[in-house]
Amino acid sequence: MRCVILSACPVSPELKCLLRPDDFIIACDAGYRNCAPLGCKPNIILGDFDTAPCPVQQNDDIIVLPHVKDDTDTEYAAKLASEKGFTEVLLLGALGGRRIEHTLSNLATGLGLEERGVRATLQDERSRITFVRSGETRAYPKEEFFYFSAFPMEGRAEGVCERGSYYELTDDVLVAGYPLGVSNEYAEGSDCITISTRKGALVVVETVPDTPILTGNKA
């Protein structure tokens, strides 16, 4: 089974299609409000409940966290999912919202899951975010997404290779101070992009288009 973590950023009902019948669902603080548009019921609700009142559940379904702590509610949920033996986690409601620091924090949580051997995905209505670890090659078949971006999650990635994209990379270096990997796309006739990194983790962002596509131009 897969674990789905619901964070507090509101989601739309269209994301319901991402859920599976056997998903184990952990709702973080106000993230339990996302259960209604997604048509699901949480197995566990946890948090310090500073952004929403603690809901009424069975006692063993609620984990009340202290306000003063090192872990965010989402990080605590991620560690719990790892301890329960899940090998795949989907995070919804973890991107956007009024506080960009929470998005950055949730990206760090995603990488932390990957480092514990748990495949992590963060997704919203327009983008899907995944990770490529050091020494790993991942394939991205063409789906509804158009833009394909890669950033060095640990500040620097060496030996980066990217094939099947309009802008290909061969044994390149990506650094945090220069966004070389932004706004790539599938090459003409390509139905899959593969990307690998020899040293340093990458965060990969796939995004659907919302404007006329001007091939060969970056913003």
Side-chain angles (χ1 to χ4, degrees):
M1 290 194 300
R2 177 183 66 172
C3 181
V4 175
I5 296 175
L6 303 180
S7 294
C9 188
V11 303
S12 65
E14 67 187 83
L15 292 183
K16 183 178 180 178
C17 67
L18 300 178
L19 299 183
R20 304 169 185 169
D22 61 349
D23 280 332
F24 186 90
I25 297 175
I26 302 177
C28 302
D29 206 302
Y32 71 80
R33 293 172 174 167
N34 282 326
C35 290
L38 295 176
C40 64
K41 183 179 184 299
N43 297 93
I44 294 175
I45 299 176
L46 61 83
D48 55 19
F49 301 104
D50 59 348
T51 55
C54 183
V56 177
Q57 287 270 117
Q58 297 296 321
N59 289 338
D60 57 355
D61 293 336
I62 295 283
I63 300 175
V64 179
L65 303 176
H67 290 282
V68 180
K69 60 187 185 303
D70 291 334
D71 292 344
T72 64
D73 295 340
T74 300
E75 175 68 19
Y76 187 97
K79 289 180 177 177
L80 182 61
S82 180
E83 291 169 3
K84 287 181 173 294
F86 292 101
T87 58
E88 183 181 0
V89 169
L90 172 65
L91 295 99
L92 302 177
L95 302 173
R98 295 180 178 180
R99 297 182 60 183
I100 193 169
E101 68 269 30
H102 282 180
T103 293
L104 295 174
S105 172
N106 293 333
L107 290 174
T109 291
L111 180 60
L113 281 166
E114 292 277 342
E115 291 173 344
R116 293 191 290 272
V118 181
R119 186 60 89 192
T121 302
L122 293 80
Q123 194 156 345
D124 64 12
E125 291 76 12
R126 301 195 51 77
S127 298
R128 179 171 66 191
I129 295 177
T130 52
F131 302 85
V132 183
R133 300 188 302 273
S134 294
E136 182 182 23
T137 299
R138 289 196 69 176
Y140 292 84
K142 191 173 185 179
E143 298 177 2
E144 72 272 23
F145 304 104
F146 183 88
Y147 294 111
F148 184 95
S149 301
F151 303 96
M153 188 65 185
E154 295 171 320
R156 181 182 178 90
E158 300 175 2
V160 178
C161 296
E162 196 170 311
R163 296 288 181 268
S165 55
Y166 188 89
Y167 306 97
E168 291 197 337
L169 299 175
T170 301
D171 197 24
D172 260 294
V173 175
L174 298 182
V175 296
Y178 181 63
L180 178 65
V182 72
S183 297
N184 212 333
E185 57 194 64
Y186 289 83
E188 185 175 356
S190 171
D191 60 2
C192 184
I193 291 176
T194 60
I195 185 167
S196 61
T197 172
R198 185 176 66 249
K199 181 179 180 181
L202 298 172
V203 57
V204 172
V205 184
E206 301 168 273
T207 305
V208 298
D210 61 352
T211 58
I213 304 303
L214 302 176
T215 301
N217 288 276
K218 291 188 178 182

